[in-house]
Amino acid sequence: MATNQYNEQVLTGGTVSAVNVNGTTQYLSNGQTISGPVALGANTTLIVESGAVVSGNAVTFGAGDTVSVNSGGELLSASLSGGTLDVTAGGVTSGNALTSDSVNISSGGESIGDTFSSGTNTTVSSGGQVFSPLEATSGATLTVSSGGIFNPNNPNNPCFAAGTLIATARGPVAVEHLTAGETVLLHDGGTAPVVWLGKRTIDLTRHPRPEAVQPVVISANAIADNVPARDLVVSPDHAFYLEGVLIPAKILVNGTTIRQVTMREVTYFHVELPFHAVLLAEGMATESYLETGNRGAFENGGEALILHPDFAQSLRETRSCASFADHGPLVERARARILDRAAIETTQDAAVVAIHRQDGSVVIASRTAVPGELTVDPRDRRVLGIKIGALKAGGEPIALDHPGLAEGWHDVEANGRWTNGAAVIPAELVQGRNVEITIATTLAYPVTADSRMASVG
């Protein structure tokens, strides 16, 4: 089989199937099995089957190719020029640059964060969904017909993790053991019957943006004495009734008593009542499920399954039992109380060190902090190390906006540039010389055992 100058095996004409074989993606063409990377010749058809993950690093597409992403298949970070892209029945595309003649998303197919370039004609229909497009340039057309969903934000649904105890008329019951008709207790003293219990298990190792669904843990007593009564695990957008408003869990994160955790897999449940209401989970007032056309995010929803639900807010803001808030005085009041209870130990010592790598580069390493976790205002979610006001190598100034300063650096600001705790000065700028830094600003850094220093790989 022919190869190109990049040592990719070239598959030309006919149909190629991308399949999952023992956890790896392989390509079937003309009776042969190829591990990749591969290049598709012009006018070739690629079918991405269930469990297969095709990325731009593994496949080079030719002009006019037809790509079909079927149930459970994924197309990630690829560039398509001309031809046709069909996404159906739970297939997912994410982070792709699409300059296709035709893009059709239907029957549970999902586009997350794709770029639609000039000349791309996209149709979203009958259960198809487009979320958070990075760009839709002039000349690109997007048609949303009956049953299609377009959301400039992210897909949505808040959930409880398995094992969460829900207050019912017969006492605390694990959420997964609730059944239709079960009477749950509401925070205002009322009751309501369970109408439906949604369930979804998510493989977070294959999610295109796992941070959007990784669980948030609210430690026992984080809000008040016995609130929650035990550690409470929810999806990031699950909202709690505090200060008279609904505040998503991710907005309450402080990195210590309320934190987002990394897991390989999580099973989420949500409880639907006859109306959107506030029930009690581990003794904490939290919202019930609200139907907003997102039932397909659950494997028992009776609709085409959304492969990668992101569980963010959208329509529920206009249909909920209380107002939502993600910043402002009420959020700050709730966070102030949580931070007072947490009594997070901090230090002003940034513990700055310059690490010289064998390749000649230098890493400016330090402790890190997230301002939105340690202050009452949750909006700044950047991981910050130190702000550097000036940088020199061998006495020669290095401009803070130098294009070589890319890895580990935040955007340049008026009086300096923040690192993320592991900022790389490349070898071509160091040139074997001594590096000098002028620190403009430091922070109060948490001194918990797992957040002292940024990773310096």
Side-chain angles (χ1 to χ4, degrees):
M1 184 173 292
T3 59
N4 61 17
Q5 67 269 35
Y6 305 110
N7 203 33
E8 298 170 326
Q9 298 188 69
V10 179
L11 310 178
T12 303
T15 299
V16 178
S17 295
V19 298
N20 184 316
V21 179
N22 297 324
T24 63
T25 298
Q26 300 191 15
Y27 303 88
L28 307 182
S29 176
N30 297 321
Q32 293 183 292
T33 300
I34 302 133
S35 296
V38 300
L40 301 184
N43 304 311
T44 299
T45 296
L46 173 66
I47 300 175
V48 185
E49 304 287 4
S50 178
V53 180
V54 174
S55 73
N57 295 327
V59 177
T60 301
F61 292 91
D65 288 340
T66 296
V67 181
S68 295
V69 185
N70 296 336
S71 176
E74 301 175 54
L75 178 68
L76 309 176
S77 304
S79 296
L80 276 65
S81 178
T84 299
L85 171 63
D86 294 315
V87 189
T88 62
V92 168
T93 66
S94 181
N96 300 288
L98 305 177
T99 314
S100 303
D101 295 333
S102 175
V103 177
N104 304 300
I105 304 171
S106 63
S107 303
E110 188 174 337
S111 164
I112 304 172
D114 289 319
T115 297
F116 299 88
S117 299
S118 178
T120 301
N121 298 307
T122 302
T123 301
V124 187
S125 62
S126 60
Q129 306 183 71
V130 172
F131 292 104
S132 190
L134 295 185
E135 183 179 10
T137 59
S138 176
T141 61
L142 177 66
T143 302
V144 181
S145 59
S146 177
I149 296 174
F150 172 79
N151 189 336
N153 301 305
N154 298 314
N156 152 37
N157 228 339
C159 304
F160 301 108
T164 301
L165 295 181
I166 306 297
T168 76
R170 62 187 175 101
V173 175
V175 63
E176 63 268 29
H177 295 150
L178 292 175
T179 59
E182 179 95 51
T183 299
V184 301
L185 307 183
L186 304 182
H187 86 292
D188 61 2
T191 62
V194 174
V195 172
W196 175 72
L197 186 71
K199 177 185 177 182
R200 184 66 198 274
T201 298
I202 303 174
D203 181 352
L204 297 168
T205 65
R206 296 181 58 229
H207 196 285
R209 286 180 293 118
E211 70 281 357
V213 289
Q214 290 280 13
V216 171
V217 179
I218 297 92
S219 298
N221 305 303
I223 306 301
D225 290 347
N226 295 315
V227 181
R230 304 188 310 161
D231 288 359
L232 175 57
V233 184
V234 296
S235 59
D237 289 284
H238 201 125
F240 296 98
Y241 189 69
L242 298 167
E243 304 296 339
V245 294
L246 290 168
I247 303 176
K250 64 186 179 185
I251 300 301
L252 302 175
V253 167
N254 61 21
T256 304
T257 61
I258 303 178
R259 63 199 185 279
Q260 190 165 29
V261 296
T262 300
M263 299 176 64
R264 296 181 60 84
E265 182 179 279
V266 62
T267 298
Y268 282 131
F269 294 84
H270 214 341
V271 182
E272 183 178 21
L273 307 177
F275 45 86
H276 192 228
V278 176
L279 48 77
L280 298 171
E282 304 292 356
M284 190 167 175
T286 177
E287 65 170 327
S288 66
Y289 172 78
L290 176 62
E291 169 62 57
T292 58
N294 52 14
R295 201 176 295 268
F298 297 93
E299 59 200 47
N300 61 337
E303 300 177 358
L305 191 64
I306 301 171
L307 182 62
H308 290 308
D310 284 315
F311 303 140
Q313 314 208 126
S314 56
L315 295 176
R316 59 193 182 111
E317 293 187 0
T318 60
R319 302 180 185 177
S320 67
C321 63
S323 298
F324 282 90
D326 58 11
H327 66 280
L330 295 177
V331 170
E332 292 182 7
R333 187 186 305 168
R335 284 188 53 83
R337 185 171 69 248
I338 291 168
L339 288 169
D340 283 346
R341 291 185 66 84
I344 300 170
E345 182 185 359
T346 62
T347 177
Q348 297 296 322
D349 179 11
V352 181
V353 60
I355 301 173
H356 294 259
R357 288 174 165 172
Q358 289 186 346
D359 64 3
S361 64
V362 173
V363 179
I364 306 301
S366 69
R367 286 189 167 97
T368 63
V370 178
E373 294 183 355
L374 296 176
T375 65
V376 296
D377 187 341
R379 287 176 289 183
D380 189 349
R381 312 302 296 181
R382 295 176 299 169
V383 176
L384 300 181
I386 58 173
K387 178 180 272 190
I388 293 179
L391 183 63
K392 295 181 180 180
E396 179 184 346
I398 298 175
L400 290 177
D401 62 354
H402 192 287
L405 300 179
E407 182 181 348
W409 297 87
H410 291 286
D411 293 340
V412 177
E413 298 178 2
N415 61 337
R417 191 171 185 182
W418 284 102
T419 74
N420 71 353
V424 178
I425 307 172
E428 55 267 28
L429 295 181
V430 177
Q431 297 180 5
R433 300 172 293 180
N434 290 329
V435 171
E436 306 170 49
I437 63 171
T438 299
I439 299 175
T441 308
T442 60
L443 299 168
Y445 302 94
V447 294
T448 52
D450 59 353
S451 61
R452 290 179 182 272
M453 295 287 290
S455 173
V456 182

